[in-house]
Amino acid sequence: MRYAGLIVKSTLSRRKWVYPSPLPKLQRYSQIPVVQQREESKEDDGISREEAEERKVSANDLGGLKEGESWNLQLPLSPLMDPELQAGRNRYKTRKPEPSSEPSEFQKKLQKNPYAQALSTPVRSCALTGARLPSYFLLDFGLALHPRTGKPWQMPKLAIDSHTASLHRTSRPDDDTEQRQSAFSGPDTNNDAASNGRKSARAVAGSHILSQRSSLKLMSSLKHRTMSQLIPLRWKQDGRFKAQEIIWREDMDTFVLDLMRRKIVKLLKYLSSRPAAYIVACEGFQEIEDKHQPGAVVWLGEPGSHSNSTAEAECPTPYAMVEYRSSRRIPIYNIPALLGPEYLILLRDAGKPFDKTLSVIKQKRSTAEVQLQLWKLMGYMASDFDVT
């Protein structure tokens, strides 16, 4: 039997170990004669001895060097010193030039386009449906502590911004406190606890829910156990409050609708008061083509009427549009249907240009925000409109 190069002969009486014959002693390459080394190298190159003799270069062929002189041979350029190679490596490392303070013509068009601004918002995921959409089409919800009870309330960011300005201040005037408490008027409100001590409302990074009234109605109908499963993990890991103590308003859909309407009325009044004439009145749809740079049309109904009681033939349908000079379409917003009678009266009281049936909002950078809010309100109330 063989084992590790050993031959083992086993018998009944004894074992005899037989070692293999020693290997021949190898010669080092340096011990091989120089002539033999040259011949082996030539044979490896695959050329004949005659060709090798022709390739020999002697000192006489190179011109011979005098004493103190050196060979003037041109060596290849090192990659570390090659300017073309260095330029190719540093091409993507060089910093881009700083943006110009003056926007380009394309950037100016984007600033005036509300639809481009809506689509350019960062993508977020809906906590209820899981849909990933630009954040413009979602409602941003956060947590705010009640100014008196200190309980966490899940509130829309629009309410937190409008009712809890200067979040990191510890003291606020009394009128500001009353205004902030209007956002927390709902179930489980107990003003007796800590009536003298005030806790500053504090917003926490929140979640996003689809900007539709039907989604908020569905959230309000969920049970508390199902509702707790939709709470973000970072809220549960926050040590300032417990997840089961978070309060959700039962009338959240109506509350958000009121906030959006209030903001739109505020923006429309502000634009109408500016001397730049961002909003101009119209007598009819035929005059829209005579207006310069129209962005949207608001239909307010007959002058003096504070409801949507106009004849159906004259009332624009949801998602109605008017063609402008055969080049593009302009949306028409039914203000009585979107804002309701209460806020329509507030808008009519502002006077011009809301004393006519139609008003045109110009396509300007200052009017992009109100166009975004009108479009968002239209999508929020989509389930209330009978499109058929």
Side-chain angles (χ1 to χ4, degrees):
M1 103 182 138
R2 295 177 178 272
Y3 181 74
L6 302 178
I7 302 175
V8 181
K9 294 183 179 180
S10 61
T11 59
L12 297 175
S13 60
R14 60 180 180 177
R15 293 181 180 178
K16 184 178 181 181
W17 299 85
V18 179
Y19 292 93
S21 58
L23 295 175
K25 188 177 181 179
L26 298 178
Q27 293 182 350
R28 295 182 180 178
Y29 189 75
S30 60
Q31 298 176 356
I32 301 176
V34 180
V35 178
Q36 185 179 353
Q37 293 180 15
R38 292 178 178 176
E39 291 179 356
E40 290 179 357
S41 61
K42 292 175 182 178
E43 291 176 0
D44 294 341
D45 294 340
I47 59 176
S48 61
R49 187 172 298 177
E50 292 78 7
E51 294 177 357
E53 292 292 339
E54 293 178 358
R55 295 184 182 181
K56 289 182 179 180
V57 180
S58 63
N60 296 329
D61 296 336
L62 294 175
L65 293 176
K66 298 180 182 180
E67 186 176 357
E69 294 183 357
S70 60
W71 296 105
N72 188 14
L73 299 178
Q74 186 177 2
L75 298 177
L77 186 62
S78 172
L80 298 177
M81 302 175 62
D82 190 356
E84 296 182 359
L85 180 61
Q86 295 297 328
R89 288 181 176 178
N90 299 330
R91 179 174 54 182
Y92 299 105
K93 295 182 181 179
T94 55
R95 296 187 61 181
K96 295 182 179 179
E98 295 294 334
S100 176
S101 58
E102 297 182 359
S104 61
E105 293 296 330
F106 180 71
Q107 292 175 342
K108 292 179 181 179
K109 290 182 179 179
L110 288 181
Q111 292 175 357
K112 296 179 182 179
N113 193 335
Y115 311 106
Q117 294 184 20
L119 296 176
S120 63
T121 53
V123 177
R124 295 293 181 266
S125 178
C126 175
L128 180 64
T129 62
R132 292 181 58 85
L133 295 169
S135 58
Y136 168 80
F137 301 98
L138 303 172
L139 291 174
D140 189 5
F141 279 82
L143 287 183
L145 301 181
H146 196 279
R148 293 188 178 274
T149 62
K151 292 184 178 181
W153 286 57
Q154 191 169 355
M155 303 294 295
K157 187 175 180 295
L158 184 61
I160 296 176
D161 293 342
S162 59
H163 295 280
T164 60
S166 304
L167 295 176
H168 300 286
R169 293 170 52 187
T170 56
S171 61
R172 295 177 177 84
D174 294 338
D175 54 347
D176 187 28
T177 305
E178 295 177 358
Q179 186 180 11
R180 286 184 289 109
Q181 287 180 1
S182 63
F184 298 93
S185 58
D188 302 334
T189 302
N190 186 11
N191 294 332
D192 296 334
S195 59
N196 296 328
R198 297 174 183 171
K199 295 185 180 181
S200 60
R202 189 172 185 180
V204 181
S207 61
H208 296 79
I209 301 176
L210 198 63
S211 179
Q212 288 186 357
R213 192 174 184 179
S214 57
S215 300
L216 297 185
K217 287 182 178 179
L218 179 60
M219 291 280 293
S220 301
S221 64
L222 296 177
K223 295 182 179 179
H224 184 73
R225 179 178 298 180
T226 308
M227 195 75 173
S228 61
Q229 297 177 357
L230 301 177
I231 296 177
L233 181 61
R234 57 182 174 272
W235 291 3
K236 299 178 181 179
Q237 295 177 348
D238 199 321
R240 289 173 293 177
F241 41 78
K242 297 181 180 180
Q244 57 269 20
E245 296 180 354
I246 298 177
I247 300 175
W248 173 274
R249 292 179 60 117
E250 296 180 356
D251 59 341
M252 184 65 75
D253 59 319
T254 307
F255 176 66
V256 173
L257 177 62
D258 185 74
L259 288 175
M260 297 175 71
R261 286 174 171 175
R262 190 184 308 170
K263 186 174 182 179
I264 289 175
V265 172
K266 183 179 180 180
L267 289 173
L268 289 174
K269 284 185 175 182
Y270 171 76
L271 293 175
S272 63
S273 63
R274 304 301 297 170
Y278 292 118
I279 303 177
V280 292
C282 286
E283 295 293 341
F285 289 99
Q286 293 78 12
E287 294 186 7
I288 297 178
E289 294 190 359
D290 300 333
K291 302 300 179 181
H292 183 60
Q293 294 182 343
V297 178
V298 290
W299 185 83
L300 299 119
E302 295 295 333
S305 64
H306 303 298
S307 62
N308 196 14
S309 58
T310 314
E312 295 184 0
E314 301 178 2
C315 180
T317 59
Y319 311 105
M321 295 183 131
V322 60
E323 191 172 359
Y324 177 71
R325 297 181 182 178
S326 304
S327 59
R328 59 191 180 94
R329 295 177 180 271
I330 302 172
I332 303 175
Y333 297 104
N334 190 339
I335 296 300
L338 291 176
L339 299 184
E342 180 182 355
Y343 288 100
L344 180 61
I345 294 174
L346 295 177
L347 198 61
R348 290 280 195 187
D349 294 341
K352 294 182 179 181
F354 304 114
D355 55 349
K356 302 294 183 180
T357 305
L358 294 174
S359 295
V360 175
I361 303 176
K362 292 189 176 181
Q363 190 79 7
K364 298 289 185 179
R365 186 176 59 180
S366 302
T367 62
E369 178 64 23
V370 69
Q371 294 184 61
L372 284 170
Q373 295 301 323
L374 285 170
W375 193 31
K376 191 169 188 175
L377 180 60
M378 174 69 73
Y380 181 80
M381 300 179 61
S383 59
D384 299 342
F385 299 136
D386 187 8
V387 183
T388 58

